[in-house]
Amino acid sequence: MNHEVVAARVEHVAMATGIIAGLSAAAATIATPTGLSAFGVWLGLIDEPLIVTVAPILDKLATVCGTISGMTYFYAIRKKRQTAKRSTPDNSAQSD
């Protein structure tokens, strides 16, 4: 598989997880218990909404995917430069 194609696919996955993490953070902010319901969560009488529990996990997932995406991007650039160096003829060895 082409290294540029792999980098592009990983970048798309990272973007998708970033969008999902952002949306879940917004939803968690809205769904966070306040007032007496927050006191009930603190006492353990009421369960915390699932989105509030899952949002930090999705945030970490988006961070990991972004890091992997950056690594594959720079790997693709490195491979591209190596391929360009190999295909360029060496003119310094020729004498006139």
Side-chain angles (χ1 to χ4, degrees), residues 17-84:
T17 56
I19 291 169
I20 291 169
L23 292 174
S24 70
T29 302
I30 294 169
T32 300
T34 57
L36 289 177
S37 61
F39 187 64
V41 169
W42 182 71
L43 290 174
L45 301 173
I46 302 171
D47 287 335
E48 193 172 42
L50 182 62
I51 192 68
V52 175
T53 307
V54 173
I57 296 168
L58 292 175
D59 182 39
K60 288 176 180 65
L61 177 66
T63 302
V64 168
C65 288
T67 303
I68 292 171
S69 173
M71 290 168 46
T72 57
Y73 171 79
F74 287 117
Y75 176 76
I77 288 176
R78 181 173 168 255
K79 292 296 272 185
K80 188 183 221 181
R81 287 182 184 166
Q82 286 178 349
T83 305

